[in-house]
Amino acid sequence: EAGVTQSPTHLIKTRGQQATLRCSPISGHTSVYWYQQALGLGLQFLLWYDEGEERNRGNFPPRFSGRQFPNYSSELNVNALELEDSALYLCASSLPWPSNTGELFFGEGSRLTVL
Amino acid sequence: QQPVQSPQAVILREGEDAVINCSSSKALYSVHWYRQKHGEAPVFLMILLKGGEQKGHEKISASFNEKKQQSSLYLTASQLSYSGTYFCGTAPKAWAGNKLTFGGGTRVLVKP
């Protein structure tokens, strides 16, 4: 069974540009989560999507946005990139509630570098 | 608010034991533990619900003291494969996809 897949693996952008990251959840998972992991830091919650709707977001500015498509895949968009946006962006998926046991399945991430 | 993990890093010899602590200033419903090896995705280890239960995964076990809002992860008779960064994630209410707040991580290195 395929795990969570993310693309691209690496992305280099310059300040002010926009970045788009993509995530395909495990088959049967309807929830998708996005986390930011800056170098040497923990995982910071960004966004949670379920059944196509944004259900919750972390303490990030509005230039971080995303969406979930009918096939449950998801896209994270970061506008007006800043140097501090450089980080590993992890996507995770989970079973729908109430089948969800609390386990998140993470992808290997997309590393965004802003120059 | 982010839970606090301690220690930040620990170096062990194969076969030694270690304890990683995760403390929160907020009341918790559950604590989730993950391990991330270098360059890999975080992998779920276990979830502990309020009630003080203890769980195990191989020779890795954990406890949850809801009164102290603290969880501890026990690495027993450590193996080389235990090396990685351990993260605790906390949730203040019943898991329904609510965001997990992760600690800063504890880096574990197990040497032969």
Side-chain angles (χ1 to χ4, degrees):
Chain A
E1 180 184 310
V4 176
T5 57
Q6 293 187 242
S7 63
T9 307
H10 293 89
L11 188 60
I12 299 175
K13 294 284 187 178
T14 56
R15 284 179 60 188
Q17 287 188 313
Q18 179 200 32
T20 299
L21 309 177
R22 297 179 178 82
C23 171
S24 292
I26 291 173
S27 177
H29 288 192
T30 62
S31 281
V32 171
Y33 311 80
W34 286 96
Y35 281 85
Q36 182 195 65
Q37 187 175 29
L39 192 62
L41 299 179
L43 293 82
Q44 303 295 317
F45 171 77
L46 269 165
L47 291 158
W48 167 39
Y49 291 96
D50 184 63
E51 295 288 354
E53 299 282 335
E54 181 182 301
R55 302 294 186 183
N56 207 341
R57 70 179 288 131
N59 296 324
F60 281 84
R63 57 191 187 82
F64 286 84
S65 65
R67 53 180 173 168
Q68 186 177 34
F69 300 99
N71 66 353
Y72 303 113
S73 66
S74 177
E75 200 173 80
L76 174 69
N77 295 296
V78 187
N79 294 319
L81 285 166
E82 300 179 2
L83 296 177
E84 53 264 33
D85 296 334
S86 294
L88 181 68
Y89 289 84
L90 291 164
C91 172
S93 70
S94 70
L95 289 167
W97 182 260
S99 304
N100 190 328
T101 59
E103 179 176 358
L104 297 181
F105 295 80
F106 282 90
E108 294 192 346
S110 292
R111 184 163 296 282
L112 172 64
T113 302
V114 183
L115 302 175
Chain B
Q1 197 163 357
Q2 189 179 29
V4 176
Q5 287 186 236
S6 62
Q8 288 186 315
V10 59
I11 299 175
L12 301 166
R13 289 287 179 190
E14 211 173 355
E16 290 182 340
D17 302 338
V19 180
I20 301 170
N21 295 307
C22 174
S23 298
S24 174
S25 58
K26 292 184 174 182
L28 300 175
Y29 179 82
S30 62
V31 179
H32 308 227
W33 286 97
Y34 287 79
R35 178 174 63 204
Q36 184 179 29
K37 299 196 178 214
H38 184 69
E40 298 182 8
V43 174
F44 175 80
L45 292 175
M46 65 191 80
I47 178 174
L48 299 106
L49 304 178
K50 67 177 183 179
E53 67 175 292
Q54 192 157 349
K55 282 195 170 183
H57 172 83
E58 300 173 341
K59 289 186 179 177
I60 299 174
S61 61
S63 62
F64 177 25
N65 186 324
E66 61 182 289
K67 289 183 180 178
K68 292 185 177 180
Q69 294 141 29
Q70 182 177 29
S71 178
S72 295
L73 187 73
Y74 307 93
L75 307 181
T76 305
S78 58
Q79 305 169 15
L80 296 177
S81 62
Y82 288 1
S83 293
T85 301
Y86 290 77
F87 293 98
C88 69
T90 58
K93 50 185 176 179
W95 179 254
N98 284 304
K99 61 181 182 181
L100 281 181
T101 303
F102 283 94
T106 295
R107 298 179 70 174
V108 173
L109 175 63
V110 181
K111 292 186 173 181

